[in-house]
Amino acid sequence: GERGGLLVREGADTASVALSERLHTGSLVRELVAEGQRLCYHFHAGRGPATGWVSTELAGPPPKALLRRIEGTVWSVAGGGDKGGIIVRGGADLSSEVCADRLCTGSFVEELGAHGDRLHYRLLNGAGPQQDWVSVRINGKELLVRSEANEIQQASPLSSAPSQPRKIRILAMSG
């Protein structure tokens, strides 16, 4: 958290060799193995080593989660490359006010809800409005592509909420 991301180690043991690069806040990873409070991952997006082991929480009291479960489906922005991203609106309706910034191509978002081909999202990684509405497709062209949500994790900011004793699937790194 405080030094620019999570410390990444070569092995599950917290005494194993530390890598020189940290897993940065907001990075997305795929879970390979979870052992107690340790997670072995494969890098997906953001900044950090391609693979390694990280702690999932800091000891308390209360314990602080270093990763957060992403509850919704994860989507990647595939469209808008020639325009700097896709149009974002303040509501589900296509007549809703257009936001000043676009959601940049290559960004990852979490689905909060949907209405037809409109997606209510929260930004996980990338650039653009933090939360609003976008079109999944326009004129048959896919603007967003669904990711394999059951395998993606994200490095997220520190949370003071106690960790949940359940299998980690999709997480966000805390900073």
Side-chain angles (χ1 to χ4, degrees), residues 1 25-26 64-68 154-160 172-175:
T25 300
K64 292 185 180 179
L66 297 173
L67 300 169
R68 110 177 139 76
Q154 185 193 29
S156 72
L158 287 177
S159 165
S160 58
M173 180 185 137
S174 303

Side-chain angles (χ1 to χ4, degrees), residues 32-62:
L32 299 177
V33 178
E35 292 182 7
Q37 302 305 317
R38 303 285 292 157
L39 175 78
C40 181
Y41 72 87
H42 178 75
F43 184 78
H44 189 67
R47 289 179 49 205
T51 191
W53 287 83
V54 294
S55 294
T56 60
E57 72 177 31
L58 290 175

Side-chain angles (χ1 to χ4, degrees), residues 79-149:
D82 57 340
K83 295 180 172 79
I86 62 175
I87 292 173
V88 177
R89 292 183 182 270
D93 195 281
L94 286 172
S95 64
S96 302
E97 183 179 343
V98 174
C99 296
D101 296 325
R102 289 176 175 251
L103 183 59
C104 291
T105 306
S107 294
F108 286 85
V109 298
E110 174 184 6
E111 179 177 332
L112 300 177
H115 182 70
D117 277 348
R118 303 283 294 153
L119 180 77
H120 187 213
Y121 75 88
R122 175 180 312 141
L123 183 65
L124 296 174
N125 184 279
Q130 292 297 305
Q131 183 174 314
D132 254 313
W133 288 85
V134 292
S135 293
V136 173
R137 68 188 59 77
I138 278 192
N139 300 328
K141 181 180 179 184
E142 298 294 320
L143 301 179
L144 291 112
V145 178
R146 189 184 312 257
S147 295
E148 299 171 37

